[in-house]
Amino acid sequence: MDPEQLTALAAEIRDFLVQQVSVRGGHLGPNLGVVELTLALHRVFDSPADPIVFDTGHQAYVHKIVTGRSDGFGALRTRGGLSGYPSREESVHDWVENSHASTSLSYADGLAKAFAVRGERNRTVVGVIGDGAMTGGMAWEALNNIAAAKDRPVVIVLNDNGRSYAPTTGGMAQRMAALRLKPGYERLLDQVKHTLPKAPVVGGPMYSALHAMKTAVKDWLLPPVMFADLGLKYLGPIDGHDIAELEQALRRAKGFRGPVLVHVLTRKGQGYPPAENDDLEQMHSPPAFDPLTGRPVAVPTATWTGVFSHELVRAGRDRDDLVAITAAMSGPTGLDAFAAEFPDRFHDVGIAEQHALTSAAGLAMGGVHPVVALYATFLNRAFDQLLMDAALHRLGVTVVLDRAGVTGEDGPSHHGMWDLSLAALVPGLSAAAPRDGQLLAELFAEAIAVEDGPTLLRYPKGAVPEPIPAVRRIVADEDRLVPAAGGVGSVDVLAEPAAGQEHDVLLVAVGAFAGAAMDAAARLADQGIGVTVVDPRWALPVPTALPLLAAQHRLVVTLEDGGRQGGVGAAVTDLLTDRVPGVPVTVLALPQEFLEAASRGDLLTDLGLTAQAVARRITETVARTFPQSREHTGGSGQDVPERRAAGEG
C-alpha cells in the first residue's frame, strides 16, 4: 500500500474497532493508540517467522485484524469467539497468551536464545511493550539479559503512551515524559547528520561537535543513555502515528542484528474523540457503549468495587494511619476516591505487585496500616512477598482482591480462582469473603483492625446482591457454640431446617455463593432434606465453630468459586477429618483448570455450581452415602434419607 492507502486503512481500522468493541466492551483505548504501529510492524517484520509479542496482550486487537481475524470480532470476548488477548489456539501469529504485564521481554529473550541454538540467525524477535508494562520489575530483569548478547536480534518496541489504566507513575515514567516533551529533536539532528558533513572545511568538525551535543542532551534526559549503558542500541523517540517514520526506524532496528530499543510515542485513544477526551482512562476498557457518544449503555448499579471504595474512604477519615496501595489500577480497584481525598496516603507503584506487597510490609513495620488493592489474578505474582515479607513478620497488611473467582470474558489468565488456594498456604493469614455489601463493610473494618498478621478480603466482579441476613451469629467457646458479635472465627447461620426436619446437611457457602446456597437449601427442603446454611465469614483459617456444627449433621458440603485443590473446601476436609471423622465432606469448587472465556453465569452452569446443580448433587450424594436409610417421597421422584436415630453418626 502507498502512504495514502495506509492512512485510509488506519482510519477504517479505528472505525471498525469502535463499532465492534462498543457491542460488549473490551480494550478500546490501547488499540486505538497502536494502529499505525501495528501496521508498520507487519510491513517490516515477517510474522510469524519473526515473532511479535505484545505486552500486555490487550494491545493486540489490530494485530488480530491484520492477521486475518477481523471476521471474528462479532464474537470478541465470548465463548468460542476471539480472545481479548493473543491466543495460540487462534493463530500462528500469536506466540503467547500475554495478559499479565511485563513478560514480553522475557519471552523474547527465550525465543531469541532458542533461535540461536537452532542456528536460525535470520529470525528477529520483536517485543512490543507498553501501557505501563515497563514499570514492572520483570521487564528490567529481561532487559539485563537481552542486552548481554550483542549478536542476538531482539527488537524492543517501547510503546510509550504515558499510561497503563491511568497515567504511569514513578521515576522512569517521569523521565519518559521528559522525552515526550521534545519529540522533534531526534528528527532535527538526523537532518543535520545528512547535510552538514557535505559542507566544505567546517562540515566534519561541526558535525562531530553537534553529535557530542546530541549525546549530552540524551544524557540529560536519561532514558537513552540508560538503555545504552545496558548495551542496547536506542532509536527514538519516534512518532507512533507516522507510519513512514515508524517503518524507517523499525527497518534500521531490524538491520542492526542485535538488541535494539525503539522508543515510540503514541496517544492512547487516538482518533476517537470520546476516548481522547476521557482524561481518567482514555476508554482503556469500557463496558458496552454508544459508539456515537462513547457513553455506557447499561444503567449503573451498585458494585462490589464501589462498596469497598466507600468503606475505604470512610475508614481513611477515621484513621490517619491508613495507607492505600495499588499496582497501576487505582480506578478499577476503587482507590480513586481515597487518592483524591488523601493523596499523601495513596501510592500507585506501577505494574509491580511484588514490590507493592513488600513495600506494604515496610509500611506496616513503620507503624501504619497498608491496604493493597489488586485484581485476584495478580496476587499470584506476589505470593512470595505475601508469604515471606508480610506473614513471616506477622505484619498487619490488608490485601483486598477484586474480580475474585470466575470473572468472565477476559479468559483463563484473568479468572481470579487461585487466591484461596494460595492464601491457605500462608501461616497467620486470615481470609474473608463477604456474601453481600453489608458484610463487605463489616469484614473490611475487622480486617484493618488486625495488626499481628496479614488479612485478605476477596469479592467477585459485578453487581452486589441483595443482603442476606443471618439467623444468628456464633463462635466456638471450647466445645460449645455461643453467640458472637463478629470478628475472626465467628460464623453466620443463614438458614436452618424447618420444624420437623432433621439436620441432614451442613452447607458451607463461601462469599458470594451464599445466595445460591440459600436457593439450593430451599430446593432440598422440598425434597425432605434438612439443610443448615452457614457463611464462615472468615473462611481461612477454618472457624473452629464448623466442627461443632458438623457434628450435628450427617453430611458437610462446601461451596466456593476458588480452586478445589488447597482451597476452603480442602481446609474444611482436613479439619473435620481430625475433629469429626464420622462426617463425610463433599467439596463443590472450581476444577484446577484454565477456564475459557465465557460469562460467569455460563461457566458456573457448566461447572455445576448453580443452585439447581448444587441441590441435585447433594441429593445424589445423600442417596449414595446413606443407601441404607432411603425412602421414596410421594410425588418427588427423589430418594431422601430417613430420619436419624438418636446418636447416629
Side-chain angles (χ1 to χ4, degrees), residues 24 115 160 164 171 177 193 217 224 276 380 397 434 436 512 590 598 622 649:
R24 59 180 58 86
F115 295 158
D160 180 10
S164 51
K193 176 180 177 180
V217 170
E276 292 177 342
N380 310 349
V397 174
D436 55 37
L590 302 178
V622 167

Side-chain angles (χ1 to χ4, degrees), residues 392-413:
L392 177 65
H393 296 97
R394 300 181 179 89
L395 296 171
V397 174
T398 296
V399 180
V400 177
L401 300 181
D402 206 316
R403 273 74 163 174
V406 174
T407 55
E409 293 79 4
D410 279 333
S413 64

Side-chain angles (χ1 to χ4, degrees), residues 34 37 41 53 55 59 104-105 126-135 139-140 143 155-163 168 172-173 175-177 179-180 223-224 226-227 234-240 246 250 260-266:
V34 298
L37 174 57
L41 285 167
V53 182
D55 187 3
Q59 301 175 97
S104 62
L105 303 188
V126 184
V128 183
I129 182 166
D131 244 30
M134 192 65 97
T135 61
W140 293 93
L143 277 175
V155 175
I156 301 163
V157 178
L158 174 56
N159 173 29
D160 180 10
N161 58 22
R163 306 181 69 89
T168 310
M172 180 64 187
R175 294 299 186 175
M176 289 298 187
L179 273 182
R180 285 194 297 275
M226 177 174 58
F227 293 127
Y234 174 90
L235 297 177
I238 307 299
D239 182 351
L246 284 165
L250 293 173
V260 182
L261 186 139
V262 181
H263 184 188
V264 176
L265 307 181
T266 63

Side-chain angles (χ1 to χ4, degrees), residues 486-563:
V488 177
S490 62
V491 172
D492 281 351
V493 178
L494 306 182
E496 295 182 287
Q501 286 190 324
E502 295 289 338
H503 289 67
D504 294 308
V505 179
L506 177 65
L507 180 52
V508 181
V510 178
F513 269 119
M518 294 288 283
D519 190 352
R523 293 169 182 265
L524 291 165
D526 290 342
Q527 305 301 324
I529 299 176
V531 180
T532 301
V533 179
V534 297
D535 173 3
R537 301 178 79 251
W538 289 92
L540 295 171
V542 177
T544 53
L546 282 186
L548 299 177
L549 287 165
Q552 302 171 6
H553 296 78
R554 308 181 71 183
L555 172 69
V556 174
V557 179
T558 65
L559 179 61
E560 63 188 299
D561 61 347

Side-chain angles (χ1 to χ4, degrees), residues 199-274:
V201 184
V202 299
M206 187 172 292
Y207 170 71
S208 297
L210 283 174
H211 182 73
M213 185 183 298
K214 171 184 174 180
T215 301
V217 170
K218 282 189 172 183
D219 286 0
W220 174 65
L221 291 172
L222 180 66
V225 72
M226 177 174 58
F227 293 127
D229 284 347
L230 281 172
L232 293 167
K233 174 65 177 175
Y234 174 90
L235 297 177
I238 307 299
D239 182 351
H241 301 297
D242 185 325
I243 296 178
E245 186 176 353
L246 284 165
E247 280 194 54
Q248 181 184 28
L250 293 173
R251 292 191 190 282
R252 288 173 60 194
K254 183 178 182 180
F256 183 65
R257 309 313 295 160
V260 182
L261 186 139
V262 181
H263 184 188
V264 176
L265 307 181
T266 63
R267 183 180 184 188
K268 200 167 181 173
Q270 174 77 9
Y272 181 50

